Amino acid sequence: MSKALVFAEGRGETLKEASLEALGLASGLSTEVVALGIGPYAGKLSGFADRVLLVKDPRLSHPLAMPCARAFAEAFKKEGPDLAIISATPFGKEVAPLAGAMLGLPLMSDITEIKRDGSAFILTKPLYTGKVIGTYRIETHPLLFSVRPKSHPVPEPKKSTTTEEFSPPFQDADFTVSLVELAEKEAGDIDVAEADIIITGGRGMKGPENFGMLRELASVLSEKTGAKVAIGASRSAVDEGWIDHSHQVGQTGKIVSPGVYFAVGVSGAMQHLAGMRNSKIIIAINKDPDAPIFSVADFGVVDDLFKVVPELINRLKAG
Ligand code: FAD
């Protein structure tokens, strides 16, 4: 009998897809899967966990890292799992080390693969900005780790789920940080961390107005494939003020691993590669045949992006 506890992340009615990926991973590793859900989105966990621990607390209508970590740590103490899993989303990256500190457990972060080997676990994770992949054998239990979003598929909802209310003993110190204001992103903007396809623009885009071309490509691709398509950006494009930082991919942006990654007018500096080199298929469009992006690309077009992208849009529209 093995048990996994998974932190399910969401807000309001919206459950993060990355949490479903973590639950699928947990189901493959453990006989019992328990999910911790905080708020109404926990209703969407049905079919993905054997049991859901539901925290209903008005102070968590917008979940903040500290009380969420406390809830997870208390759920851990109650359940005694041998595996504790948090998705390595930007929010999960705040919650996981806090929970580890509260439990006195070391954290293995940003894991891309894990399997059991007898009583041990074998884990892999990218190191040195993704240049090498480290493989670890861990004998100690319980194990706390965070899993990189998009490294595992979303499972089918097959489990019969029971839900029970859970009231963790919060401490006053858990609420010393409060939310002052929430600035919503533009409607329809898909987060690069959750996208199936990312179209990233770099300095080669020349200006913010030309990102409209990438958005048109995204909309055609999404219409034709049904995939979630997001717009990414290199740091140069963000620093120029052409696009918001939430789109930045790389070492100081988001780490992504979508099914398809388009790098348009991006040179492929190592800090950029650190965020996207684990994408399944990389397509680079760059007029410089020596651009380093071609060293990681599966497909490359050496040409002017202002010619290639409109042509791609026209061909996709024509089917
Ligand atoms: P450039 O390097 O200027 O490349 C532009 C490319 O566009 C060129 O290859 C050019 O050939 C091509 N191009 C130009 N015009 C056209 C055209 N008409 N058609 C086709 N191609 C064209 N960078 C990130 O992206 N993400 C990070 O998180 C990040 N973190 C960093 C952290 C640190 C500590 C440091 C020091 C740097 C970081 N950087 C990061 C910056 C990184 O080093 C590069 O400067 C940046 O990635 C370059 O962005 P770029 O490829 O858009 O621009």
Side-chain angles (χ1 to χ4, degrees):
M1 178 76 186
S2 56
K3 191 193 275 191
L5 174 68
V6 177
F7 178 73
E9 180 187 336
R11 186 156 59 89
E13 297 286 339
T14 311
L15 169 68
K16 281 258 173 192
E17 197 172 274
S19 299
L20 295 181
E21 296 162 13
L23 285 161
L25 170 67
S27 299
L29 292 166
S30 302
T31 42
E32 186 183 3
V33 176
V34 182
L36 175 74
I38 297 169
Y41 69 84
K44 303 237 167 83
L45 292 165
S46 194
F48 297 100
D50 298 290
R51 287 165 47 229
V52 173
L53 302 182
L54 169 62
V55 179
K56 283 184 177 172
D57 189 311
R59 291 172 295 181
L60 289 172
S61 57
H62 180 92
L64 293 171
M66 194 67 178
C68 285
R70 180 74 61 200
F72 191 71
E74 293 298 331
F76 182 97
K77 288 184 203 160
K78 171 176 153 358
E79 295 292 328
D82 63 340
L83 272 184
I85 310 176
I86 298 177
S87 187
T89 58
F91 185 61
K93 284 179 180 169
E94 282 188 69
V95 173
L98 286 171
M102 287 170 187
L103 291 165
L105 279 181
L107 166 71
M108 286 296 290
S109 61
D110 216 18
I111 295 305
T112 48
E113 269 181 63
I114 174 168
K115 56 187 182 212
R116 282 186 189 270
D117 181 25
S119 63
F121 290 104
I122 309 288
L123 302 100
T124 58
K125 60 175 272 171
L127 298 169
Y128 305 116
T129 65
K131 283 201 196 75
V132 295
I133 303 290
T135 302
Y136 300 82
R137 182 184 173 84
I138 303 212
E139 307 272 352
T140 50
H141 289 231
L143 173 62
L144 168 67
F145 70 94
S146 65
V147 57
R148 182 176 284 196
K150 294 279 170 199
S151 58
H152 293 83
V154 172
E156 291 297 319
K158 287 187 188 149
K159 289 184 179 283
S160 88
T161 307
T162 56
T163 300
E164 55 205 80
E165 281 197 32
F166 175 55
S167 304
F170 289 118
Q171 301 175 8
D172 288 345
D174 297 337
F175 295 99
T176 47
V177 174
S178 57
L179 181 72
V180 178
E181 190 192 352
L182 198 62
E184 295 284 354
K185 285 199 298 185
E186 279 173 46
D189 237 1
I190 291 170
D191 187 344
V192 284
E194 291 184 4
D196 308 308
I197 302 176
I198 298 175
I199 305 174
T200 287
R203 201 197 298 275
M205 295 306 297
K206 309 268 192 277
E209 64 285 0
N210 296 322
F211 274 76
M213 188 167 72
L214 300 188
R215 289 186 195 281
E216 189 181 356
L217 177 58
S219 129
V220 180
L221 272 172
S222 148
E223 200 180 294
K224 294 280 175 190
T225 63
K228 285 196 278 181
V229 190
I231 300 297
S234 70
R235 178 159 158 180
S236 301
V238 172
D239 286 351
E240 293 284 354
W242 299 344
I243 187 163
D244 182 75
H245 178 263
S246 61
H247 295 264
Q248 186 180 316
V249 173
Q251 192 180 322
T252 43
K254 290 182 182 159
I255 311 259
V256 298
S257 39
V260 184
Y261 188 91
F262 285 86
V264 186
V266 173
S267 60
M270 67 177 179
Q271 295 89 352
H272 188 79
L273 300 187
M276 47 63 76
R277 69 188 324 149
N278 287 325
S279 305
K280 290 168 195 82
I281 298 174
I282 298 172
I283 302 170
I285 303 171
N286 196 308
K287 66 180 182 186
D288 175 5
D290 297 323
I293 192 72
F294 289 121
S295 67
V296 296
D298 298 281
F299 300 95
V301 185
V302 180
D303 209 338
D304 185 348
L305 70 90
F306 293 99
K307 206 170 89 193
V308 178
V309 175
E311 179 66 21
L312 195 54
I313 293 170
N314 287 341
R315 290 206 191 185
L316 280 165
K317 279 186 178 164

